[in-house]
Amino acid sequence: MRKHKTIPVFVPHFGCPNNCSFCNQKKITGMACPVTPEMAEKTIEESLKTIDRTSCSVEVGFFGGSFTGIPAREQEALLAAAYRFADTGKIDG
C-alpha cells in the first residue's frame, strides 16, 4: 500500500473577511504577504524534493484563510499552479 503525502500551501487570512484575535494565521505561518501562484509553485517544487514518489501518492492542499472566499480569478491562478504539477504527473491531485 502506498503512503499518502499532502504538500501544504498556506494562504493565511486570504479570503477571510475577519481578523479574529485567536486566529492570527499570519503570525502562526510567518507569512506577512499574500500567497502568489509563483510562491505556491516554489512551495510545491521544494516539497517534492523531499518526497519519494515511487512509494507515495502526493496531493497539494491549500490551508488557512477561506479558499472559497478568495476572488475566483485568484483561486483559479492558485489552482492552475498546482495543476501544472498534476498535468505532468509530479503530483496526483
Side-chain angles (χ1 to χ4, degrees):
M1 181 162 199
R2 292 180 65 177
K3 294 181 182 178
H4 177 84
K5 302 281 183 180
T6 300
I7 296 173
V9 176
F10 292 98
V11 293
H13 287 297
F14 204 18
C16 181
N18 302 309
N19 194 16
C20 302
S21 60
F22 59 85
C23 182
N24 190 339
Q25 294 177 13
K26 291 177 184 175
K27 188 168 189 161
I28 293 167
T29 63
M31 297 175 64
C33 58
V35 174
T36 65
E38 295 79 19
M39 292 168 69
E41 286 180 4
K42 184 178 178 186
T43 297
I44 297 166
E45 287 171 355
E46 292 298 314
S47 295
L48 283 171
K49 291 177 185 177
T50 68
I51 298 172
D52 177 10
R53 289 286 289 132
T54 61
S55 65
C56 295
S57 66
V58 179
E59 69 178 16
V60 171
F62 293 93
F63 297 93
S66 179
F67 198 82
T68 57
I70 297 171
R73 200 176 255 170
E74 294 175 60
Q75 283 182 42
E76 290 168 3
L78 288 168
L79 291 170
Y83 181 75
R84 283 190 275 284
F85 291 90
D87 195 37
T88 58
K90 293 181 179 178
I91 65 170
D92 302 300

